Amino acid sequence: MVYVIIALAMLFILGPVLMLRPSARERREARIRQRAMADSVLISPISLARDKKFNALKQRNPHIDDFRWFRYQLVATEKETGPSVKGEWLQRKTREGQLVWEPTDTKVQTPPAVQQLIDQWQQQQAEDFLSLELGPRSVSIVWNERGDLAEVEALLKHLKQLLAI
């Protein structure tokens, strides 16, 4: 009887401690975010329900998850000029089920580097990316953080290339 009481006491003590340990997914996310932040990338969560632009995109594309989207933004330093083009491209699904990328402003000429990246994503038909944004001093990609360090390395490479256009 004493052993049963000791075992139960140990479970009550160790149970909550073991529950506080991060899961494998949380460790993976921390690893990829730490790698991105090492290159001065700003990471912010996106709520599709609260953001006007993404809420409209969600209404037209119900296949998109409401949560788990993050903006990875690389801002130009004082020595860098930033992208020469300002624009935004969003991914959507056609009635046939194909993922396509479209600019939010049809008057914007898509730079070759952006078109090459969009073509690559369109060929892969991956739902991992939602938006590509070029601003006067920054470039950002909204994605769902699927993958590991290799995917983050590729994403960082794309961000650096796009910042230089």
Side-chain angles (χ1 to χ4, degrees):
M1 183 68 170
V2 173
Y3 292 118
V4 172
I5 294 173
I6 291 173
L8 284 174
M10 292 299 286
L11 283 176
F12 283 117
I13 293 170
L14 293 177
V17 171
L18 292 176
M19 288 178 61
L20 291 176
R21 294 184 59 206
S23 67
R25 187 188 89 227
E26 291 169 334
R27 286 192 302 271
R28 180 189 58 78
E29 288 172 352
R31 194 171 48 247
I32 64 175
R33 289 177 188 165
Q34 184 178 22
R35 173 61 190 99
M37 287 188 288
D39 278 11
S40 303
V41 172
L42 304 173
I43 302 169
S44 58
I46 302 290
S47 171
L48 297 187
R50 291 188 196 127
D51 190 289
K52 247 185 194 181
K53 168 183 56 180
F54 290 118
N55 189 16
L57 182 67
K58 170 71 176 144
Q59 296 301 320
R60 289 177 290 167
N61 296 280
H63 72 281
I64 298 173
D65 293 332
D66 286 332
F67 56 92
R68 297 244 170 247
W69 293 100
F70 294 87
R71 176 179 283 118
Y72 276 52
Q73 183 178 30
L74 184 60
V75 179
T77 63
E78 292 179 18
K79 300 172 188 169
E80 297 173 318
T81 58
S84 60
V85 177
K86 184 179 178 193
E88 182 174 24
W89 294 263
L90 298 173
Q91 183 187 60
R92 70 171 181 87
K93 192 177 270 190
T94 64
R95 288 187 176 142
E96 295 79 30
Q98 292 291 320
L99 295 173
V100 295
W101 285 83
E102 297 176 331
T104 56
D105 184 4
T106 55
K107 297 174 188 171
V108 172
Q109 291 291 327
T110 304
V114 172
Q115 191 62 51
Q116 181 182 5
L117 182 59
I118 286 174
D119 289 344
Q120 176 185 342
W121 288 342
Q122 208 160 316
Q123 275 184 335
Q124 295 170 352
Q125 287 293 299
E127 297 181 5
D128 295 340
F129 302 100
L130 188 60
S131 171
L132 172 62
E133 304 161 354
L134 297 178
R137 301 267 318 142
S138 68
V139 60
S140 60
I141 295 176
V142 176
W143 75 305
N144 59 12
E145 291 188 322
R146 289 191 186 143
D148 212 329
L149 288 177
E151 286 78 9
V152 172
E153 293 287 341
L155 182 77
L156 295 174
K157 181 181 138 197
H158 294 310
L159 286 173
K160 289 175 185 173
Q161 286 173 346
L162 293 173
L163 191 62
I165 63 169

